[in-house]
Amino acid sequence: MDHAQFRAHPPRAPDISSRHLSHPLVRAVVMATVAGLLLGPVDLLAQTTLPYPWANLANSGAVWALAAFVLGATLRPAAASAAAGIVLLPIAVESYYLAGVIFRHDSTSTLWSSTTGLWLVLAVIVGSLFGLAGSVVRSPRRAARFAAAASAGSIFLLEALAILARSRADGGSNHAGQTVVIEIALALAVPLITLALTRHRR
């Protein structure tokens, strides 16, 4: 054996860090963490700068669910999509309240209040469901793709009905009707756009 050649070119150690980062679950968690850190502050900024009724849309839980759906659709396998949704939305909730503390001087108690805890529980449930639905939209079965796309639109329809019911209970709002119209339009448009995009990719 040529010992001089061995000394000049020692065996390379495996790049463990790169291998770990290429794992689907690790990649999903990293992407979801970055997206969640951005989603919270951007949502708060949109609420405080956009005119009504668009500011209502920025404060929409359906938009956050759609974010988990879109992220889930970009990942595979399905476990990575669900994991991404589970990580994305809770981090977005905390980054939203943290942005309020930093930029609006809100109380730090908002980071661990009972209301925040409720939102975190809902974030885990909604994030896992819509992250998984995002992965199903790539299914080779047409019925599965249609069902997944419909779920992305249905959350807007449900939210529109909730806004309408709340508005009637409160005696009506100047912007509630406009917000309902926008959300119903999104309930129809989101599934169509989703199916068109997935068909193009396929």
Side-chain angles (χ1 to χ4, degrees):
M1 182 177 185
D2 190 342
H3 295 287
Q5 183 179 9
F6 177 79
R7 287 194 298 272
H9 302 284
R12 278 183 153 183
D15 191 349
I16 298 176
S17 61
S18 297
R19 186 172 59 195
H20 285 178
L21 287 176
S22 66
H23 191 280
L25 284 176
V26 175
R27 187 167 63 249
V29 169
V30 171
M31 291 176 62
T33 300
V34 173
L37 291 172
L38 291 173
L39 177 59
V42 168
D43 183 85
L44 180 64
L45 177 64
Q47 288 182 40
T48 55
T49 57
L50 290 177
Y52 287 96
W54 301 107
N56 287 336
L57 191 63
N59 195 29
S60 163
V63 171
W64 285 42
L66 183 62
F69 181 89
V70 171
L71 183 60
T74 65
L75 298 168
R76 60 182 67 222
S81 298
I86 291 173
V87 173
L88 168 68
L89 294 190
I91 289 180
V93 168
E94 288 294 353
S95 66
Y96 171 88
Y97 286 114
L98 181 60
V101 170
I102 295 173
F103 298 109
R104 300 177 58 183
H105 309 293
D106 294 341
S107 172
T108 55
S109 64
T110 58
L111 297 172
W112 53 78
S113 69
S114 58
T115 300
T116 303
L118 176 61
W119 280 118
L120 289 173
V121 172
L122 290 174
V124 170
I125 297 172
V126 172
S128 61
L129 291 176
F130 280 86
L132 187 60
S135 71
V136 175
V137 83
R138 302 188 310 263
S139 171
R141 293 183 299 172
R142 179 179 298 181
R145 293 200 310 274
F146 274 65
S151 72
S154 65
I155 190 68
F156 286 97
L157 180 59
L158 291 174
E159 190 169 70
L161 294 175
I163 293 172
L164 188 60
R166 188 167 59 247
S167 174
R168 288 180 176 178
D170 295 340
S173 169
N174 292 334
H175 305 290
Q178 296 171 338
T179 305
V180 167
V181 171
I182 293 172
E183 297 230 15
I184 291 176
L186 287 172
L188 298 173
V190 166
L192 295 177
I193 294 171
T194 299
L195 290 173
L197 289 175
T198 53
R199 180 180 179 183
H200 175 71
R201 288 187 64 183
R202 287 172 62 81

